[in-house]
Amino acid sequence: MDSPGRNVFILSSGFLAVIGSCSGKKRTEEGIQVKETQPIEAIAAGNNLESYEEAYQNFSFKDVEKEFSWYETGKVNAAYEAIDRHAESERGDHIALHYSDSDREEKYTFRQMKEQSNRFGNVLRKIGVGKGDRVFIFMPRTPELYFSFLGTLKVGAIVGPLFEAFMEGAVRDRLEDSEAVALVTTPQLLSRVPVKELPALKHVILVGAEGEQEEGFYSFEKEMDQVSPELDIEWVDREDSMIIHYTSGSTGKPKGVVHVHNAMIHHYQTGRWVLDLKEDDVYWCTADPGWVTGTSYGIFAPWLNGVTNVIRGGRFSPEDWYGTLEKYGVTVWYSAPTAFRMLMGAGADIVKQFDLSKVRHMLSVGEPLNPEVIRWGMETYGKRIHDNWWMTETGGILISNYPCMKMKPGSMGRPFPGIQAAIIDDEGNELPPLRMGNLAIRTPWPSMMRKIWKNESKYKEYFRIPGWYISGDSAYMDEDGYFWFQGRIDDVINTSGERVGPFEVESKLVEHQAVAEAGVIGKPDPVRGEIIKAFIALRKGYEASDELKEEIRRFVKEGLAGHAAPREIEFKDKLPKTRSGKIMRRVLKAWELDLPTGDLSTMDD
Ligand code: WTA
């Protein structure tokens, strides 16, 4: 089974798995080869989390609850804690929101955010929308989106944010499944909402609409003007539903992941210890609220911590992003690997044109963060980019690199205090370090999803092993307790009976100077079961050629492992990606096999 130059380990399912021999890897007794990246030292003291080990031993989420007013009553409202609590304190005049896009530039204090969200809550009350009703928001990132979001929560309704790039089919699926009763949108986006086919949808509130509206349609501005800025908040139970995020699984239509108000405990505390938010921070999370990062960490975590939140409308460009960091003096910046890779592709020269000296903490989530990107970030920004891991279903960060912690580039980090993460086999046995298996989390934790909307069986699948949440990701833990992502369970490639994590191959590929992005799939092969096929987008200035294919192949073969080198390479102008930046291998696979691509509603255009 084992042979020199390659290393073998067995998964619980009995499959033979091989992680290739490669430089910088150490062979272990278990057979797995562990990546040994050069650790990057911790940032000097002054972080909210001073000692990871101590916090991990002593921390309990129960202690956090005592910091909130509802600890005594048990009645809570996350929007109150995020906004009103600060509005009523000496931070009332502190900037809560800096908004800008190419046409608008506005700022709002916590007091003003309170008034605006109160008004929206009153608008909903007036039309009879309240506790437990689903209110969806299909809007570009503008201040009105945030007022509506918070106002919805304040009346105890469940908010459903929809990404503005969704087309009709995606919008219909979500509004239909959730039986949304109200929708906030714009006249432009309304053309993608099949209102007549949605019997539950009674109210459409239009932002920026002109003239009189027909029945059931309202002008956001007019309604907001007519109601009071005072509101009696609906105090709800901590376990009452707060938000629905639709997310794609490996099968079927997107499913509605439901989180409850209690999740705020998790958002608040990870905001303190992972984002390292402090009173005077100016924070920018680049994610859209249509995705979970854009709500848990684009709304709740910063505002629960009373911090100034930057929202930038419009699309990505390196100049625009660096300009935003400079203009607002952003101190904490949370983004995604694809964005960092694109910035890396744009080069270091452009960075020099901006003053990024205020940035003190950088973070990344959503997909594997290549060590190469971290190294580039160190060279270019002089900062570590802190990878962390979580999912729509987990509601908040569960594994992370903390400022106080030594970082191993390529690792997602260690479990958040209060969280027990493990690698388990399919029967629920915990595996020792350096064995690959299911990344699982001990249940429950404050931001754990509480249901899949109208789909109990889907929900139960995640918890099929008693006491554990099964993430669907495969990973291993090293001897120091750091977790290393290997791939989605269902994306792992099996070639000649050898399992290869596509991330490892992709990571290697993007280290090649010509490669901007890479997606790797298993392509069925009559002899080998599957062969590895790589789809590659080249960096500017590189021409596709057979020589270049061969060179890249050799680069992987020599840098990672022979069996991990793609037998086939295809160049593409762009790779299909989700809005949260994950390369959609599923779509690559469908292209390759000439199959239908399935639901593309989460794909970047
Ligand atoms: C992947 C985004 C590697 C993983 C917050 C997970 C990651 C899925 C990381 C969830 C990371 C997230 N390293 N992979 N640091 N973070 N993922 O629901 O496969 O959009 O299951 O949530 O993204 O994606 P989702």
Side-chain angles (χ1 to χ4, degrees):
M1 234 166 51
D2 207 347
S3 65
R6 58 175 233 208
N7 291 271
V8 179
F9 65 102
I10 308 290
L11 278 184
S12 62
S13 52
F15 283 106
L16 189 66
V18 176
I19 299 254
S21 59
C22 89
S23 56
K25 283 195 161 190
K26 169 181 86 169
R27 180 139 174 230
T28 73
E29 280 170 33
E30 288 294 333
I32 191 173
Q33 291 200 336
V34 178
K35 223 183 220 151
E36 282 194 299
T37 52
Q38 195 63 39
I40 306 175
E41 286 307 316
I43 292 166
N47 318 126
N48 286 335
L49 179 64
E50 282 173 12
S51 159
Y52 172 77
E53 275 75 18
E54 196 185 307
Y56 199 81
Q57 271 157 34
N58 301 322
F59 172 77
S60 157
F61 279 109
K62 287 263 164 271
D63 298 333
V64 182
E65 294 169 7
K66 293 176 195 153
E67 293 187 38
F68 291 94
S69 56
W70 54 271
Y71 176 64
E72 300 285 330
T73 61
K75 287 289 181 185
V76 65
N77 193 302
Y80 171 86
E81 302 297 346
I83 298 296
D84 299 23
R85 184 165 62 104
H86 307 296
E88 291 160 11
S89 77
E90 71 281 6
R91 285 183 87 66
D93 292 324
H94 193 76
I95 304 293
L97 173 63
H98 271 305
Y99 177 79
S100 70
D101 60 30
S102 50
D103 301 325
R104 293 169 72 174
E105 193 175 328
E106 291 158 29
K107 58 185 180 197
Y108 298 88
T109 63
F110 278 101
R111 221 189 302 282
Q112 290 167 323
M113 290 301 288
K114 175 184 170 183
E115 284 178 16
Q116 295 294 331
S117 52
N118 278 355
R119 282 183 192 274
F120 189 77
N122 280 321
V123 170
L124 289 180
R125 284 242 169 95
K126 198 173 130 190
I127 60 179
V129 173
K131 189 164 179 216
D133 289 335
R134 276 78 55 217
V135 176
F136 272 61
I137 303 178
F138 182 36
M139 287 277 296
R141 284 192 303 283
T142 57
E144 292 76 19
L145 186 162
Y146 295 84
F147 305 155
S148 315
F149 185 101
L150 295 161
T152 298
L153 297 186
K154 283 184 169 183
V155 298
I158 305 170
V159 69
L162 292 181
F163 188 58
E164 66 168 307
F166 281 158
M167 301 307 282
E168 182 167 322
V171 174
R172 180 197 290 113
D173 281 350
R174 288 159 174 80
L175 294 179
E176 208 165 50
D177 184 71
S178 62
E179 295 171 294
V181 300
L183 176 71
V184 186
T185 188
T186 65
Q188 294 78 9
L189 292 176
L190 183 62
S191 63
R192 301 189 212 148
V193 186
V195 179
K196 298 220 160 60
E197 298 165 40
L198 296 163
L201 186 62
K202 297 280 185 314
H203 314 282
V204 178
I205 300 163
L206 291 167
V207 178
E210 282 169 15
E212 278 307 302
Q213 305 301 319
E214 44 178 304
E215 198 182 330
F217 290 77
Y218 313 84
S219 151
F220 177 91
E221 290 78 6
K222 244 188 233 163
E223 298 298 323
M224 290 283 277
D225 263 357
Q226 286 168 11
V227 293
S228 161
E230 305 291 326
L231 174 81
D232 282 330
I233 286 195
E234 179 86 33
W235 300 106
V236 298
D237 192 88
R238 57 195 285 170
E239 285 297 320
D240 278 335
S241 299
M242 170 170 88
I243 186 166
I244 300 188
H245 272 294
Y246 278 84
T247 188
S248 307
S250 42
T251 55
K253 284 191 176 183
K255 46 192 190 283
V257 171
V258 178
H259 291 288
V260 298
H261 283 255
N262 190 56
M264 57 171 278
I265 293 297
H266 200 106
H267 299 148
Y268 169 77
Q269 195 62 22
T270 49
R272 290 196 58 201
W273 283 352
V274 181
L275 307 177
D276 197 37
L277 294 174
K278 299 183 175 127
E279 273 203 347
D280 294 326
D281 273 321
V282 177
Y283 169 78
W284 184 29
C285 168
T286 60
D288 187 275
W291 312 113
V292 73
T293 310
T295 58
S296 295
Y297 296 100
I299 294 179
F300 294 113
W303 284 335
L304 285 164
N305 280 283
V307 160
T308 300
N309 200 7
V310 171
I311 303 294
R312 174 73 181 161
R315 301 190 69 88
F316 170 87
S317 84
E319 287 81 3
D320 192 277
W321 277 31
Y322 289 139
T324 302
L325 291 169
E326 176 183 88
K327 176 174 175 174
Y328 294 107
V330 170
T331 56
V332 179
W333 180 26
Y334 196 8
S335 195
T338 293
F340 289 121
R341 286 194 291 263
M342 284 162 84
L343 292 170
M344 184 169 122
D349 281 348
I350 174 175
V351 180
K352 299 191 187 105
Q353 297 162 25
F354 296 88
D355 176 8
L356 307 183
S357 59
K358 294 267 173 59
V359 177
R360 73 170 168 83
H361 189 32
M362 293 169 64
L363 306 103
S364 166
V365 73
E367 52 171 329
L369 181 64
N370 324 75
E372 178 61 17
V373 175
I374 298 178
R375 283 195 289 272
W376 185 82
M378 290 293 291
E379 279 164 29
T380 314
Y381 308 118
K383 300 271 169 344
R384 309 193 308 181
I385 304 174
H386 296 76
D387 191 13
N388 47 80
W389 176 90
W390 57 293
M391 308 170 65
T392 304
E393 293 88 335
T394 73
I397 295 164
L398 295 180
I399 294 178
S400 176
N401 289 282
Y402 311 88
C404 65
M405 190 176 95
K406 197 180 268 189
M407 180 191 285
K408 300 188 188 186
S411 160
M412 305 184 291
R414 297 169 73 181
F416 193 77
I419 298 297
Q420 191 191 335
I423 304 300
I424 66 174
D425 67 15
D426 293 342
E427 281 72 52
N429 305 303
E430 276 187 62
L431 298 175
L434 308 177
R435 290 276 302 277
M436 190 163 100
N438 298 294
L439 174 53
I441 309 292
R442 262 271 176 249
T443 57
W445 61 94
S447 66
M448 187 180 90
M449 66 169 169
R450 296 301 200 269
K451 58 182 154 190
I452 299 283
W453 189 257
K454 293 196 306 195
N455 195 340
E456 206 186 329
S457 64
K458 197 94 207 162
Y459 184 75
K460 284 187 172 151
E461 277 175 30
Y462 290 91
F463 304 94
R464 60 187 178 272
I465 296 174
W468 294 103
Y469 163 81
I470 311 292
S471 69
D473 284 353
S474 65
Y476 69 85
M477 186 184 76
D478 70 17
E479 284 142 326
D480 299 323
Y482 286 66
F483 284 78
W484 299 75
F485 180 82
Q486 296 295 296
R488 286 296 295 175
I489 296 291
D490 35 17
D491 271 346
V492 170
I493 299 165
N494 191 327
T495 176
S496 303
E498 301 169 343
R499 268 187 173 215
V500 179
F503 167 54
E504 286 211 308
V505 184
E506 289 164 358
S507 227
K508 196 73 211 167
L509 285 166
V510 299
E511 283 179 24
H512 189 280
Q513 56 191 14
V515 178
E517 287 179 330
V520 166
I521 59 162
K523 176 181 173 177
D525 180 85
V527 182
R528 296 181 170 82
E530 285 180 316
I531 58 162
I532 299 173
K533 167 150 191 178
F535 292 83
I536 288 173
L538 292 174
R539 287 204 198 179
K540 267 213 186 74
Y542 286 91
E543 286 292 331
S545 71
D546 286 346
E547 286 76 14
L548 184 55
K549 279 186 193 173
E550 194 43 42
E551 186 190 316
I552 292 172
R553 223 180 81 76
R554 202 164 350 106
F555 181 76
V556 179
K557 188 172 170 182
E558 284 168 7
L560 190 59
H563 75 270
R567 285 185 177 266
E568 269 187 43
I569 291 179
E570 188 172 324
F571 294 122
K572 292 270 175 197
D573 290 342
K574 264 170 107 175
L575 298 185
K577 272 174 297 192
T578 64
R579 284 287 172 180
S580 54
K582 284 182 289 294
I583 290 176
M584 299 176 85
R585 298 193 192 107
R586 164 173 79 76
V587 176
L588 292 174
K589 207 152 191 165
W591 284 354
E592 183 58 42
L593 304 178
D594 209 18
L595 293 170
T597 46
D599 179 17
L600 292 183
S601 56
T602 57
M603 189 160 93
D604 196 334
D605 51 355

